[in-house]
Amino acid sequence: MLTITQALVDQIVAHARKDHPDEACGVVAGPAGSDRPERFIPMLNAAMSPTFYEFDSGDLLKLYRDMDDRDEEPVVIYHSHTATEAYPSRTDISYANEPGAHYVLVSTADTDGVGEFQFRSFRIVEGEVTEEEVKVVEAY
């Protein structure tokens, strides 16, 4: 289960809406070993595409060095889908290389008729996708 604050959910959704029609992407870092997302880090979608996201390799290297310096790890890796449901694509699955991370997808398309976005979380380990419950809290 992903436990995340309402403030972080709001920041992720706002980033997805801001970058629409391109996919948005980013990381929420937290203390190493804690499984607690704390620090919101929006990233640039280097692909600048409505159907694909890619972290800039230089930005990603800088991010991992910064997280190492802070004794953090990527707790949440998020991106948006602009025209499809919030479910990992084959490409998303092939690029998922953080087995301990929660992969959050936000859809900015109303694909299910229940609102203007979906917010879902998945574990992706060795190509296996498992959806998990998302518990939104005011604070930890």
Side-chain angles (χ1 to χ4, degrees):
M1 173 172 49
L2 168 63
T3 302
I4 188 168
T5 64
Q6 183 65 58
L8 286 168
V9 169
D10 293 346
Q11 287 177 297
I12 292 169
V13 171
H15 184 202
R17 288 181 174 149
K18 180 177 81 62
D19 282 12
H20 188 87
D22 289 338
E23 289 192 3
C25 58
V27 172
V28 184
S34 72
D35 197 38
R36 191 175 66 232
E38 292 184 350
R39 187 166 63 99
F40 175 71
I41 308 160
M43 302 286 284
L44 172 70
N45 179 355
M48 295 187 173
S49 167
T51 59
F52 179 73
Y53 84 98
E54 182 176 34
F55 292 119
D56 176 84
S57 59
D59 289 348
L60 200 55
L61 180 61
K62 182 180 172 197
L63 170 64
Y64 272 81
R65 285 182 176 155
D66 185 45
M67 286 190 298
D68 282 346
D69 290 347
R70 295 168 176 255
D71 197 24
E72 293 176 329
E73 62 188 6
V75 177
V76 170
I77 298 172
Y78 74 87
H79 77 281
S80 62
H81 282 181
T82 62
T84 59
E85 70 172 323
Y87 190 86
S89 69
R90 280 185 302 222
T91 304
D92 298 338
I93 295 165
S94 70
Y95 284 157
N97 61 2
E98 287 287 349
H102 302 271
Y103 285 87
V104 165
L105 278 108
V106 174
S107 176
T108 54
D110 183 5
T111 57
D112 58 8
V114 297
E116 56 193 70
F117 74 92
Q118 296 173 334
F119 187 101
R120 297 167 73 185
S121 183
F122 304 87
R123 293 291 190 155
I124 305 174
V125 180
E126 296 178 7
E128 195 72 29
V129 177
T130 306
E131 186 164 7
E132 62 183 350
E133 182 183 343
V134 175
K135 180 179 178 183
V136 180
V137 297
E138 285 306 311
Y140 302 122

